[in-house]
Each structure stands twice: as structure tokens, then as C-alpha cells.
Amino acid sequence: MEWYEALGLLLGAILVLMGIGMPVALAFLAANILGAWVFMGGERGVVQLLNNGWASLATFGLVPIPLFLLMGEVFFQTGLGARMFNAIDRLLGRLPGRLSYVTVLGGTGFATLSGSSMGSTALLGSLMVPEMNRRGYKTHMSVGPILGTGGLAIIIPPSALAVLLATLAEIDVGALLIAGVLPGLVLATFYGATIWLQTRIDPAAAPAYEVEPISLSKKLGFLLRDVVPMVGLMVGIVAMMIGGIVTPSEAAAFGALGVILLAALFRCLTLDALKASVKGALRVTLMAFLIVFGSATFSQILAFSGASTGLIRWTTGFELSPIAMLFVMFMVLLMLGMFMEQISIMLLTVPIFFPLAESLGFDLIWFALIMLLALEISFTTPPFGLLLFVMKGVAPPQTTMRQIYTAAFPFILCSLLVVALIVAWPPLALWLPGR
């Protein structure tokens, strides 16, 4: 069987199974079993494939996923996130469009601690949009920053999706987490500049309103009590990883323990909140482990059938420059993101794109960060970006999908600008990891 026939069989089986409603991880597993039967010698090949798949789960690199997820769940379920948002709101005073800035500042902190774009968007949408609408904010000033900030969870550590991508691609988890710090902060800065520009162009988009003045001592109290501990936890985790003091797994353990201790210190750690946190983290962890299992076996089938080497040989035969090939891969990710969710995209593309990127001479950490940014952009890419529908679900009923699409556009441009900066100046991504 030719390589393109093998690739067509595997991808076709996956798409058909997904089309009839089978969960993504199970669709990959079923297609892998079919591929093992066809290409690896029937029942014996299936047994070998399953053994290899179990081996892919017995890796220490997967430990940060459940711990980072638990960290975010505790932060959300115990109300620590709400405390931080309220404090930032009081600190900004009468700044024009301050609730939009609160969304970016508080959302960046929450995205960092939660590592979940959907969770971050759902929390911000339910907390901030009704209040911003009540204050007379136009839809693009309330919805846009939330959609943008939700995507920051993908690239600012601790990011469960970054850990998953690094595991699937078999690259350094810690280096990828650290590489996202500077681009994530630059992206958050661009978001703030976008809000400032929008308020200058149309002051009525974020009307000023009276706020109760608070003294400097009270501001310091809000800052030290409700902001510094949460942000300090994140900074401490990243600093320990950058300094080589802890591994990503140990950093995740410290982070989860730190959030639990903070919740206990603030007397908001209840048994119900802890149960809900463990349940939420466990649900997503099981899905992530199924995905790792499916992706590892899919990569092996592609290699064994000759599909991956044939595809790389075919694509490099066009004699495009490495940057042109990077652009093609980036556009493929964006187009897939219009119709598929991010984990499915990773499962389809990682076994193909990373060997191709290595053959083109790209630094794989640099390439993985660009891929994460592409996934972040595709979260909000019309018509079917996942965060667009999460926002529709939590926004007031009168909010239309057209308004949500329009609000997302300036923040998509910000993300594209960060991608361009990383391509033009790789040290933006590679300086902190020391590559």
C-alpha cells in the first residue's frame, strides 16, 4: 500500500468515526486498532500496539497535567479567583474602561493559575459580562478582552495543554512552559493597548461611572492580601523552573499545594469545594491520558505504514523555504481550528508536523510555542472557535454570535502580531529556556 493510501485510510477512519459522534480519543483508538490489524500483522500487531500505548502513559512527564488541573480547580471552586478580581477592580479606581482592564489583568492571573482556556472564559464571562453590560459597556469592550485573555491560559505556565503538547511531541516540558512566559506577557500587554485604543476612539464604549474612593492604605491592603499571594504563587513556580530548582512535575506539586494552603489560609477551603476540585481535575485528566494513548499509537502506525516519511518526503519536494512551510503549517492549524477543537487538532498534526519541523531545522521548542499560539488563535477563530461558543453560553441571551465574532477580531490580530515577533526574533521565545 502506498503512503498516501495508508494515510487516507487512517485519517478517513478517524473522520468517519468522529462524524458519527464517537469521542475523539476513542475514534483515534479505533482507527489505530484498524491500522495495526492492516499494517502490523493482524491480532499480534494489535497486541503489540496496545502494549506500546500503555508504555506511553508510564512517563513522568505526564504528572504535571493532573496537578496543574487540580491547582486551577481549587482556585476556581474556593472563590480565590473572585477575590483577586474584586481586588484588582478596586485598585484601578476610575480608569476609563477599567472593567476591561480588570478582565485582562485578573484574567491573565486566573489563566496562569488555571491553565484552562474554557474554564477561564466561562468564569470571566459569568462574572464580568453582566456587570459590564449593567455599566453600559458595549459588547466588544466586554466580550473581546475575555475571549483574548482566555487564550492566554494556553501559553502562560502552568498550562496543561502545553504539557500535553510537549508530551505528545516528546520535547522538554519545562522548556516549553518557560518559553511561553515572555510571549504571554507581551500578548497581555498588547491586549491592554488594544483596550486603551478602543476607549480613545470611542469613549462611549466604556462609560465612566462613580466609584467609591479608597485610601492608599486600603489599596495596599487589597494588593497585599488578595493579589500578591495569588500572583506570587505563579511567579514563584515559574522562577523555580527557570532556576532549575524544581522540575515541571515538582513545580506542579508545589503549585497545587500552594493554592490549597492559600484557600485554607483565607478560610474558603471547604470539603465540597475540595471534592468538586478533585472531580473536575480527574475528569479532564482521564480524557488527557486517553488522548496521549491514542496519539502515541497513531504516531507508531503512521511510522510503521510509511505514511509519515512519505508525507515528509512529498512536502519537502516542493522546495519551499522553511518559513513558507511554517506559514503553510500555521494556516493548516488555523483552518482546522475553525471546525475542530484543539486536542483533536494536536492528535492529527503532532505526528506529522514535528518530524517535518525537525527536518526543516526548526528548534522544536520554538515551533511548539508557535503551534500553541496557533491553537490559541483558533480558539477564537470564526465560525466554530470553541471559546466563541463558551462565551455565547455564559453571555446575556441578547448577545449575538456576530457581536462575539466582531469582538474577537482585534485580539486575534494581537496574537498574530506576537507570532510574527517570535518568527522574526526567536529569542523572544528561546531566551528564558536558554536555547
Side-chain angles (χ1 to χ4, degrees):
M1 186 180 292
E2 295 291 336
W3 70 266
Y4 50 83
E5 295 174 329
L7 183 63
L9 174 65
L10 293 169
L11 294 182
I14 292 168
L15 294 175
V16 168
L17 292 172
M18 289 172 59
I20 63 176
M22 183 177 287
V24 173
L26 296 182
F28 268 85
L29 182 58
N32 292 342
I33 292 174
L34 172 64
W37 189 276
V38 173
F39 300 112
M40 297 177 66
E43 183 179 350
R44 192 177 304 172
V46 173
V47 172
Q48 181 62 45
L49 185 77
L50 294 177
N51 288 335
N52 294 342
W54 288 118
S56 70
L57 297 180
T59 171
F60 200 64
L62 291 175
V63 172
I65 293 178
L67 292 173
F68 282 153
L69 290 171
L70 178 63
M71 183 178 172
E73 287 287 339
V74 172
F75 185 71
F76 173 70
Q77 297 289 348
T78 59
L80 289 175
R83 293 181 68 103
M84 187 172 70
F85 277 106
N86 291 335
I88 294 174
D89 183 32
R90 300 295 297 274
L91 289 170
L92 291 180
R94 297 191 60 186
L95 181 69
R98 73 185 178 95
L99 290 180
S100 297
Y101 289 109
V102 167
T103 299
V104 171
L105 293 173
T108 300
F110 179 73
T112 300
L113 289 169
S114 72
S116 168
S117 291
M118 287 186 290
S120 178
T121 300
L123 173 68
L124 294 172
S126 58
L127 281 179
M128 302 300 296
V129 172
E131 176 66 15
M132 294 165 89
N133 287 354
R134 190 173 68 85
R135 298 289 185 180
Y137 280 57
K138 293 184 180 179
T139 302
H140 69 275
M141 293 297 296
S142 60
V143 170
I146 294 173
L147 289 172
T149 307
L152 285 171
I154 295 179
I155 58 174
I156 294 184
S159 166
L161 196 66
V163 174
L164 184 58
L165 176 61
T167 303
L168 296 178
E170 299 181 353
I171 58 176
D172 189 336
V173 174
L176 181 56
L177 287 171
I178 294 168
V181 173
L182 288 181
L185 294 177
V186 169
L187 184 56
T189 303
F190 284 170
Y191 287 168
T194 299
I195 294 168
W196 177 83
L197 188 61
Q198 289 174 326
T199 56
R200 291 296 298 268
I201 293 173
D202 182 12
Y209 56 89
E210 290 299 321
V211 293
E212 178 187 351
I214 59 174
S215 64
L216 179 61
S217 61
K218 286 187 175 181
K219 286 185 176 182
L220 287 174
F222 280 122
L223 180 66
L224 295 175
R225 184 182 66 247
D226 295 331
V227 178
V228 169
M230 302 5 166
V231 176
L233 179 63
M234 175 271 293
V235 172
I237 290 171
V238 174
M240 286 192 296
M241 284 195 294
I242 292 175
I245 300 172
V246 297
T247 66
S249 301
E250 293 165 344
F254 278 118
L257 178 62
V259 171
I260 291 173
L261 291 177
L262 281 177
L265 184 64
F266 284 106
R267 298 183 180 180
C268 54
L269 183 65
T270 64
L271 184 59
D272 288 341
L274 197 56
K275 284 181 179 178
S277 300
V278 172
K279 185 177 179 181
L282 181 61
R283 185 187 304 114
V284 181
T285 298
L286 290 175
M287 180 189 69
F289 275 45
L290 272 175
I291 287 163
V292 172
F293 187 95
S295 177
T297 52
F298 183 60
S299 301
Q300 292 169 17
I301 293 293
L302 284 178
F304 196 87
S305 66
S308 55
T309 54
L311 181 62
I312 291 172
R313 197 161 44 240
W314 177 69
T315 51
T316 53
F318 288 110
E319 297 183 355
L320 294 175
S321 68
I323 294 298
M325 285 300 302
L326 177 67
F327 177 77
V328 170
M329 289 188 282
F330 190 83
M331 293 306 298
V332 168
L333 292 170
L334 291 189
M335 287 187 289
L336 289 175
M338 294 181 187
F339 307 102
M340 299 173 63
E341 51 89 24
Q342 276 56 38
I343 292 174
S344 302
I345 297 171
M346 287 169 55
L347 285 171
L348 283 173
T349 58
V350 165
I352 298 170
F353 280 10
F354 274 84
L356 179 58
E358 189 172 20
S359 71
L360 293 170
F362 294 149
D363 184 288
L364 293 185
I365 298 297
W366 176 83
F367 177 75
L369 187 61
I370 290 176
M371 186 170 179
L372 281 175
L373 281 164
L375 294 174
E376 182 264 323
I377 295 168
S378 70
F379 256 22
T380 51
T381 303
F384 301 121
L386 191 60
L387 293 189
L388 301 175
F389 291 96
V390 173
M391 176 55 66
K392 177 61 177 173
V394 299
Q398 67 271 20
T399 307
T400 66
M401 287 305 297
R402 181 176 180 179
Q403 289 175 316
I404 293 174
Y405 292 158
T406 304
F409 183 71
F411 296 89
I412 292 175
L413 290 181
C414 290
S415 298
L416 291 172
L417 181 57
V418 171
V419 172
L421 287 175
I422 293 173
V423 172
W425 193 53
L428 179 62
L430 300 179
W431 178 65
L432 276 182
R435 297 177 69 90

